[in-house]
Amino acid sequence: MRREHFAKLQPRCPYCRVAREQEFSLYIGEVAREEDGDIREGVLICSNPLCQREHPILDGIPVVVTDGPSWAASQLGSVMQRGDLTPFAESMLGDLAGAGSSFDRDRGNNGIYAEAHWGGADPSYLPLVRAGMELLSKKPEGVWIDVGCSVGRGTFELARATGELTVGLDLNFSMLRVAEQVRHRGRVRYSRRRVGLVFDAVDEVAPDLPRENVSFWCADAAAMPFAPGSFRGAFCLNLLDCVQSPLGLLVELGRVVAQGGEVALSTPFDWAVGATPSSSWMGGHSQRGPQDGSSLLEFRRILSAECAAGIDTGLVIEAERDGVPWRLRVNERSVTEYAVFFARLRRKG
Ligand SMILES: C[S@@+](CC[C@H](N)C(=O)[O-])C[C@H]1O[C@@H](n2cnc3c(N)ncnc32)[C@H](O)[C@@H]1O
Ligand SMILES: [Zn+2]
């Protein structure tokens, strides 16, 4: 985390907002490792004397979550993972841990998204990023946020388009580590699944990107550590069906985007109970009801002025595009392809 990015973003304590409904800024506490204004290890502290929560900066990534223990329960393994294992040792450990282990799951997932964002001369994720840009009403300007950035390609492309700071936010530390490695070292490193537990190590020079203008944050999209209206706009690609509360995500996007700002949101509406309880899905059930179980109709209803639920996200739909292909390589003989729905949302003034 670069000091000048921290100064520009003026982050807030998400715990104080969620638990006490109060806005308190964070300040930089002890710094254990720093390289030329880039804090690699240190701590951000809540300025509320009744809170004083410590939010660590690890491998250059601030971890600013409301519930430290539950984040640690799922992510500490990734934080502690060594980055210096040879492909030989990694393959041995992969066999030892076995199929379906958390090591296998993380390595596989990272590889799928890293390959989509960074693999080859024309990564499969770029058309999706372009579709998001094309849906905006004009060329993006100012400070933007890429919510659910994963391994970070969209964040860099947004920074390229705006010429300004772009924040990449995700909850998954090992994915952010891939993104941060590109920012910090200019290298793309991941393992790509060939078949079963057989992977190929990828370690390449990253393409030419505005590395000085991105900042990656580990935080929950449902409780972002930023003040209301901090961003001129947001990308939120393929996150809506991955969170506990899709409606809560929309409310939070409406909070952090400034009045008049735009959100480019895409989703395949691929609901799964592992990510979202079915009671919180938008459509995908109750096909005998007036909307025929349609996710698209439910999404439109929630974002319409007459929303029956009475929860105002502060966002309205301004433009739509449907059926954009989103391709994820699973292994050397398997690809998953979605037809993604896109919307441009406007933060009401
Ligand atoms: C389906 S992936 C999409 C990633 C990327 N935007 C893309 O389209 O390739 C969903 C991403 O959202 C992240 N994610 C899931 N729940 C999250 C949450 N509550 N807060 C922040 N990120 C979250 C995951 O770690 C993952 O990187
Ligand atoms: Zn606090």
Side-chain angles (χ1 to χ4, degrees):
M1 184 200 73
R2 298 207 60 82
R3 283 182 184 270
E4 69 266 24
H5 293 163
F6 177 86
K8 198 166 208 171
L9 292 166
Q10 299 186 19
R12 305 295 169 93
C13 176
Y15 181 79
C16 279
R17 179 172 343 93
V18 171
R20 308 168 203 259
E21 295 184 16
Q22 287 178 321
E23 293 278 334
F24 277 94
S25 58
L26 300 176
Y27 65 91
I28 299 173
E30 191 172 333
V31 171
R33 208 148 51 86
E34 180 165 355
E35 295 169 14
D36 202 15
D38 191 354
I39 300 175
R40 309 303 305 161
E41 222 170 84
V43 64
L44 301 177
I45 303 173
C46 174
S47 58
N48 178 2
L50 296 175
C51 175
Q52 296 186 26
R53 264 196 166 58
E54 294 184 311
H55 303 278
I57 303 170
L58 302 164
D59 292 340
I61 304 167
V63 178
V64 190
V65 295
T66 47
D67 180 0
S70 37
W71 178 83
S74 66
Q75 301 293 311
L76 215 52
S78 309
V79 175
M80 304 300 279
Q81 207 171 335
R82 296 168 48 168
D84 62 344
L85 288 176
T86 61
F88 164 77
E90 191 184 295
S91 107
M92 223 164 31
L93 292 176
D95 282 339
L96 203 64
S101 61
S102 62
F103 182 78
D104 181 48
R105 206 178 46 240
D106 281 358
R107 190 158 66 137
N109 260 339
N110 260 2
I112 288 172
Y113 286 94
E115 181 68 11
H117 287 218
W118 301 105
D122 194 14
S124 65
Y125 190 50
L126 284 184
L128 215 69
V129 174
R130 275 196 290 273
M133 300 271 187
E134 283 164 13
L135 204 61
L136 301 177
S137 68
K138 58 180 179 15
K139 189 174 174 303
E141 288 173 353
V143 180
W144 278 57
I145 184 165
D146 180 16
V147 182
C149 66
S150 176
V151 292
R153 185 60 182 262
T155 316
F156 285 98
E157 296 299 336
L158 261 173
R160 198 201 304 268
T162 59
E164 290 214 36
L165 172 63
T166 301
V167 170
L169 180 144
D170 204 285
L171 208 44
N172 184 303
F173 195 84
S174 60
M175 285 181 168
L176 286 170
R177 202 182 240 150
V178 176
E180 175 63 13
Q181 182 102 25
V182 175
R183 185 192 78 79
H184 182 226
R185 298 244 176 263
R187 293 205 73 86
V188 179
R189 289 188 60 198
Y190 61 96
S191 299
R192 176 174 49 206
R193 197 188 296 272
R194 214 189 294 166
V195 54
L197 297 171
V198 180
F199 284 75
D200 293 303
V202 177
D203 187 351
E204 289 167 357
V205 176
D208 190 25
L209 295 159
R211 286 164 42 207
E212 66 294 347
N213 264 348
V214 293
S215 185
F216 290 104
W217 290 64
C218 188
D220 190 345
M224 295 191 243
F226 303 108
S230 290
F231 301 98
R232 289 279 289 279
F235 259 41
C236 184
L237 305 191
N238 311 326
L239 176 62
L240 191 76
D241 58 4
C242 297
V243 294
Q244 276 278 316
S245 168
L247 179 58
L249 171 63
L250 294 175
V251 170
E252 186 65 348
L253 285 168
R255 188 186 69 81
V256 297
V257 170
Q259 290 186 358
E262 297 184 359
V263 179
L265 182 142
S266 72
T267 176
F269 295 122
D270 190 20
W271 306 111
V273 279
T276 315
S278 53
S279 55
S280 299
W281 295 358
M282 294 177 180
H285 58 74
S286 309
Q287 73 184 91
R288 293 147 321 280
Q291 320 216 64
D292 214 12
S294 160
S295 286
L296 181 49
L297 292 181
E298 182 62 4
F299 180 79
R300 285 186 186 140
R301 188 189 68 81
I302 284 168
L303 289 164
S304 70
E306 309 81 42
C307 173
I311 294 169
D312 188 2
T313 62
L315 300 167
V316 286
I317 300 176
E318 268 195 350
E320 293 182 1
R321 181 173 165 194
D322 208 349
V324 179
W326 175 36
R327 207 163 293 121
L328 294 169
R329 175 196 178 281
V330 180
N331 62 44
E332 65 183 354
R333 293 178 191 277
S334 164
V335 169
T336 300
E337 182 165 326
Y338 296 94
V340 164
F341 167 75
F342 261 94
R344 179 178 85 230
L345 312 177
R346 170 85 58 194
R347 175 69 173 89
K348 288 182 273 188

